[in-house]
């Protein structure tokens, strides 16, 4: 065995395969010297790439939809200005001449210099423009390397390949949905970042926070990704390999056994009925949800339809995607969450970096600031509601007026459809995500105004504990068992249940086997998770006696000693 890297497991299972290193162009460009006689050709290569990037920006500008956010055009102008500026387009030429370095290297050197200068600026808005410089450079780098995207198809068998990257954005990750890699490992990222959630939804072993994987693993090297322990074995010796092959076949056997539970109704041993729904990102995920026997879609993260594209999806395009899901679910509920863009999920070209994007214009805040875009999405959802049991879910609500404004826009969207005699479900239900502590604490405000609630525990934990879910430096503090988190969850479930308002959990806690009995014990009867986790959770529910679990769950809630909490949890799961 050569060496082992430790990280945080995102999804279980074991995969054995060969490393495929992928690059985000900016971080990992090639560095090499060029011969004297190639200098002019290298400069011409740089100029051609700059010209191509400029053409892309012009093309983007001419396709801005009428209802696109106003910031979009401003951002394009800014990027064009940066590209035209001699400090970006001319200075690298001098570097190529003087240092005889390749164009990519010259460009990145100049970017680092400019970014360092921006970092000195006191004005925070101007300081943050360094992100725009990086994005423009990335565009030119992509043009230099021939416009390959991260997920270019590979000739070899993808199932035997393990993607190794320094970092992957949610937008990168969604591209991998079109592929069938054996596993993923990254240097950075928290386990509930959207990148990690997407990796989990692929149902393959994945590990984040390995720190040095991208630097130390070589292309094509044999790897074992142990998603159970959160380790990567690099260059395993034959004994270790044989041991892992054995473990892998055992896990596969267990997975196949679980498939037998697909049509078994989820209920505890003492007959408490539980609903199990699936989280999806794209219409193409529906077959997985159905294969796992999901009773419905509990969370359709619609924002992924808006990523990796230069324009916004039109109302018709959205309608078709939503209708596809509604039809495929054939009468089962589809909870369609309205656009939750912001924080780590960005629209291509939405380059205006805010000082603190997780707390900025994200989700419902963004939608209310862009009413035309929001109205288009609401009309698309309403139109799709004629084809199935569609519900609307509003993300990140915290204020009563946000609900009121969203409901007023929904009314307007309905009127617009009425004028055109378009059919839709006139009594479509509207729910809210409880993922900001304020919303959990002021629950009656939401119970009065909404038909159902869904606890977004990923953000609820992030905002309760002030832990950035994407930052692996604080990942160890991201704790679903923190008394404050458990209090907010149990309080919300109890209050909503008493008021007769359905409440679900759709954050990653719903798919965590260690927490199933605890959540059942505090009264949860509706779980929504990635299809890959659903059958294992069902099996746990089928083996649970609620009468035994309830008092233990209450003891976990009362515990103020983290060690004791974990002991009680172990007892609960025994
Ligand atoms: C959550 O926050 O728990 C949630 C389900 O939404 P997302 O992970 O998309 O933020
Ligand atoms: Mg959330």
């Amino acid at each position: 065995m050569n060496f082992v890297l430790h990280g945080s497991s995102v999804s279980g299972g074991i995969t054995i395969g060969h490393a495929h290193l992928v690059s985000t162009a900016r971080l990992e460009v090639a560095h090499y010297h060029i011969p004297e006689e190639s200098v002019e050709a290298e400069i011409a290569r740089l100029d051609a790439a700059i010209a191509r990037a400029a053409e892309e920006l012009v093309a983007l500008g001419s396709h801005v939809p009428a209802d696109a956010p106003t910031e979009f055009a401003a951002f394009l102008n800014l990027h064009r200005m940066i590209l035209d500026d001699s400090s970006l387009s001319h200075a690298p030429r001098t570097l190529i001449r003087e240092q005889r370095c390749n164009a990519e290297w010259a460009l990145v050197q100049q970017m680092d210099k400019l970014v360092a200068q921006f970092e000195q600026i006191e004005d925070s808005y101007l300081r943050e423009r360094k992100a725009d410089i990086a994005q423009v450079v990335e565009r030119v780098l992509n043009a230099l390397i021939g416009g390959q995207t991260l997920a270019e198809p590979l000739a070899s068998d993808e199932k035997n390949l393990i993607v190794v990257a320094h970092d992957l954005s949610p937008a990168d990750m969604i591209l991998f949905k079109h592929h069938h890699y054996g596993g993923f490992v990254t240097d950075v990222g928290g386990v509930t970042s959207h990148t990690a959630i997407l990796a989990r939804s692929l149902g393959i072993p994945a590990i984040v926070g390995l720190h040095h994987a991208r630097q130390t693993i070589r292309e094509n090297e044999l790897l074992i990704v142990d998603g159970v322990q959160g380790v990567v074995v690099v260059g395993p010796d034959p004994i270790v390999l044989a041991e892992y092959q054995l473990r892998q076949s055992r896990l596969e056997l267990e997975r196949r056994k679980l498939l037998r539970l697909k049509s078994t109704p989820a209920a505890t041993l003492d007959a408490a009925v539980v609903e199990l729904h699936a989280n999806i990102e794209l219409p193409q995920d529906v077959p997985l949800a159905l294969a796992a026997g999901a009773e419905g879609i509990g969370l359709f993260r619609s924002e992924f339809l808006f990523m990796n594209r230069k324009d916004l999806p039109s109302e018709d395009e959205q309608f078709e995607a939503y209708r596809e899901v509604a039809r495929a679910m054939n009468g089962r509920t589809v909870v369609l969450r309205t656009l939750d863009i912001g924080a780590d999920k960005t629209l291509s070209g939405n380059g205006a970096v805010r000082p603190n994007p997780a707390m900025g214009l994200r989700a419902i805040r963004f939608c209310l600031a862009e009413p035309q875009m929001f109205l288009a999405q609401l009309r698309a959802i309403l139109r799709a509601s004629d084809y199935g049991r569609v519900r609307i879910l509003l993300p990140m609500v915290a204020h009563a007026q946000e609900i009121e404004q969203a409901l007023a826009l929904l009314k307007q969207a309905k009127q617009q459809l009425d004028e055109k005699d378009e059919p839709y479900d006139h009594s479509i239900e509207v729910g809210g995500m409880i993922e900001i502590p304020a919303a959990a604490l002021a629950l009656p405000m939401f119970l009065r105004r909404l038909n159902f609630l869904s606890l977004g525990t990923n953000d609820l934990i992030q905002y309760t504990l002030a832990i950035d879910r994407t930052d692996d430096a604080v990942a160890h503090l991201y704790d679903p068992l923190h008394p404050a988190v458990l209090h907010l969850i149990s309080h919300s479930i109890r209050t909503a249940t008493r008021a007769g308002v359905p409440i679900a959990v759709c954050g990653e806690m719903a798919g965590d086997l260690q927490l199933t009995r605890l959540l059942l014990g505090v009264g949860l009867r509706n779980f929504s998770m990635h299809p890959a986790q659903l059958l294992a959770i069902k099996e746990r529910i089928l083996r649970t006696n609620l009468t035994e679990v309830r008092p233990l769950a209450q003891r976990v809630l009362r515990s103020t000693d983290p060690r004791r909490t974990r002991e009680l949890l172990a007892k609960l799961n025994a």
Side-chain angles (χ1 to χ4, degrees):
M1 187 203 310
N2 266 345
F3 57 94
V4 175
L5 295 169
H6 294 259
S8 308
S9 176
V10 161
S11 58
I14 290 169
T15 187
I16 301 170
H18 292 273
H20 172 51
L21 308 189
V22 300
S23 305
T24 43
R26 188 165 59 83
L27 286 167
E28 296 145 8
V29 296
H31 291 194
Y32 55 89
H33 287 290
I34 48 165
E36 180 72 52
E37 62 273 20
S38 303
V39 164
E40 290 313 313
E42 193 65 7
I43 290 175
R45 198 165 78 87
L46 175 69
D47 287 348
I50 290 176
R52 188 168 149 196
E55 276 165 25
E56 279 175 19
L57 288 172
V58 171
L60 270 177
S62 58
H63 289 104
V64 179
D67 53 0
T70 45
E71 284 158 2
F72 193 69
F75 133 84
L76 283 178
N77 284 336
L78 175 66
H79 281 207
R80 265 186 240 142
M81 274 162 54
I82 294 174
L83 195 58
D84 287 345
D85 196 289
S86 61
S87 55
L88 198 71
S89 53
H90 285 203
R93 293 176 185 190
T94 317
L95 290 171
I96 295 174
R97 277 208 182 89
E98 286 174 358
Q99 299 180 4
R100 289 213 266 107
C101 56
N102 61 316
E104 291 88 343
W105 190 3
L107 199 60
V108 169
Q109 279 190 70
Q110 183 60 13
M111 175 189 78
D112 289 344
K113 190 171 153 194
L114 292 174
V115 165
Q117 284 168 1
F118 270 75
E119 269 163 3
Q120 305 302 319
I121 299 177
E122 272 196 20
D123 181 295
S124 66
Y125 178 79
L126 284 178
R127 194 169 54 240
E128 290 312 323
R129 300 288 58 78
K130 62 184 185 213
D132 293 286
I133 294 176
Q135 283 173 5
V136 171
V137 167
E138 194 142 0
R139 189 176 286 283
V140 181
L141 287 171
N142 271 330
L144 273 170
I145 59 173
Q148 283 170 330
T149 61
L150 276 170
E152 282 294 305
L154 289 151
S156 42
D157 182 3
E158 290 177 346
K159 274 202 168 39
N160 296 324
L161 292 177
I162 292 160
V163 172
V164 180
H166 176 73
D167 190 13
L168 293 169
S169 69
D172 297 331
M173 207 63 208
I174 202 85
L175 292 174
F176 286 120
K177 285 218 176 215
H178 305 294
H179 296 266
H180 303 281
Y181 292 109
F184 284 88
V185 300
T186 63
D187 286 337
V188 299
V191 288
T192 57
S193 67
H194 287 95
T195 302
I197 290 172
L198 285 169
R200 200 169 293 133
S201 78
L202 300 176
I204 52 175
I207 299 178
V208 296
L210 286 160
H211 298 287
H212 305 295
R214 186 63 182 74
Q215 277 170 346
T216 49
I217 296 173
R218 291 189 308 268
E219 181 74 21
N220 215 25
E221 202 158 15
L222 186 63
L223 303 180
I224 297 171
V225 179
D226 178 351
V228 184
Q229 305 289 336
V231 296
V232 179
V233 186
V234 185
D237 61 33
I239 299 175
V240 173
L241 192 60
E243 164 65 23
Y244 268 104
Q245 279 161 340
L246 194 71
R247 285 197 215 170
Q248 199 181 20
S249 32
R250 275 196 215 121
L251 285 176
E252 180 53 25
L253 204 68
E254 278 170 30
R255 201 187 64 82
R256 288 220 199 112
K257 269 199 215 152
L258 282 178
L259 282 176
R260 296 187 203 142
L261 298 179
K262 184 186 156 188
S263 315
T264 312
T268 60
L269 289 168
D270 38 2
V273 176
V274 181
E275 285 184 44
L276 297 180
H277 296 255
N279 293 354
I280 62 167
E281 279 84 35
L282 292 172
Q284 74 197 53
D285 300 333
V286 169
L288 279 177
L290 291 172
E295 284 171 64
I297 301 299
L299 174 67
F300 178 176
R301 290 181 162 100
S302 68
E303 55 275 10
F304 287 96
L305 291 172
F306 290 65
M307 291 185 188
N308 290 312
R309 48 185 300 149
K310 292 171 179 165
D311 52 2
L312 293 170
S314 65
E315 177 186 325
D316 281 348
E317 195 183 334
Q318 290 185 60
F319 161 60
E320 274 162 29
Y322 305 152
R323 180 179 59 180
E324 189 183 332
V325 176
R327 272 186 172 151
M329 290 308 289
N330 200 14
R332 299 178 186 87
T333 46
V334 175
V335 177
L336 231 153
R337 179 171 77 183
T338 56
L339 187 66
D340 178 5
I341 214 76
D344 59 335
K345 292 178 287 192
T346 51
L347 295 176
S348 307
N350 194 356
V353 178
R354 303 278 174 176
N356 194 341
M359 296 205 182
L361 214 53
R362 185 189 156 183
I364 191 72
R365 304 168 180 184
F366 180 82
C367 289
L368 293 176
E370 298 291 344
Q372 293 312 320
M373 187 205 65
F374 193 32
L375 274 170
Q377 182 174 42
L378 291 173
R379 286 193 302 270
I381 299 176
L382 283 168
R383 286 166 61 193
S385 70
D386 196 39
Y387 296 85
R389 279 181 68 198
V390 174
R391 291 177 180 162
I392 297 174
L393 180 61
L394 305 170
M396 254 190 102
V397 287
H399 300 272
Q401 76 266 23
E402 286 167 342
I403 312 278
E404 270 147 24
Q405 282 170 32
L407 292 178
L409 284 166
L410 181 65
K411 195 169 163 202
Q412 197 178 331
K414 287 182 177 176
Q415 280 160 358
Q416 289 167 340
L417 293 182
D418 289 340
E419 280 159 23
K420 291 199 268 171
D421 266 341
E422 291 254 23
Y424 62 88
D425 174 2
H426 286 252
S427 48
I428 193 164
E429 292 190 358
V430 183
M433 287 201 63
I434 303 302
E435 48 186 349
I436 296 182
L441 291 169
L443 211 69
M445 199 156 90
F446 301 92
L447 293 171
R448 275 183 52 200
R449 293 172 169 86
L450 294 164
N451 304 111
F452 66 98
L453 301 176
S454 195
L455 282 161
T457 51
N458 307 333
D459 278 314
L460 189 63
I461 298 170
Q462 158 165 270
Y463 295 124
T464 304
L465 302 180
I467 302 298
D468 184 338
R469 56 194 269 204
T470 65
D471 186 351
D472 66 304
V474 287
H476 60 292
L477 299 172
Y478 192 95
D479 183 11
L481 293 175
H482 190 288
V485 172
L486 293 180
H487 171 77
L488 290 173
I489 292 173
S490 73
H491 161 79
S492 302
I493 295 172
R494 202 176 48 244
T495 314
T497 310
R498 264 197 213 134
V501 175
I503 184 162
V505 169
C506 66
E508 295 303 287
M509 280 180 78
D512 186 341
L513 264 187
Q514 294 305 309
L515 305 176
T516 310
R517 286 189 175 152
L518 178 61
L519 290 172
L520 285 169
V522 298
L524 185 71
R525 296 292 177 271
N526 188 329
F527 295 63
S528 191
M529 70 206 82
H530 274 299
Q533 288 131 271
L534 200 141
L535 290 173
I537 299 288
K538 189 190 278 189
E539 190 195 36
R540 181 60 59 100
I541 293 169
L542 293 170
R543 289 167 186 251
T544 298
N545 186 331
L546 207 55
T547 325
E548 284 169 14
V549 154
R550 261 199 215 107
L552 263 173
Q554 290 309 316
R555 283 171 67 191
V556 173
L557 282 186
R558 284 195 301 270
S559 165
T560 48
D561 174 3
R563 201 174 315 144
R564 182 77 191 125
T565 304
R566 276 165 178 76
E567 280 167 16
L568 286 166
L569 191 72
K571 212 165 162 191
L572 203 51
N573 289 328

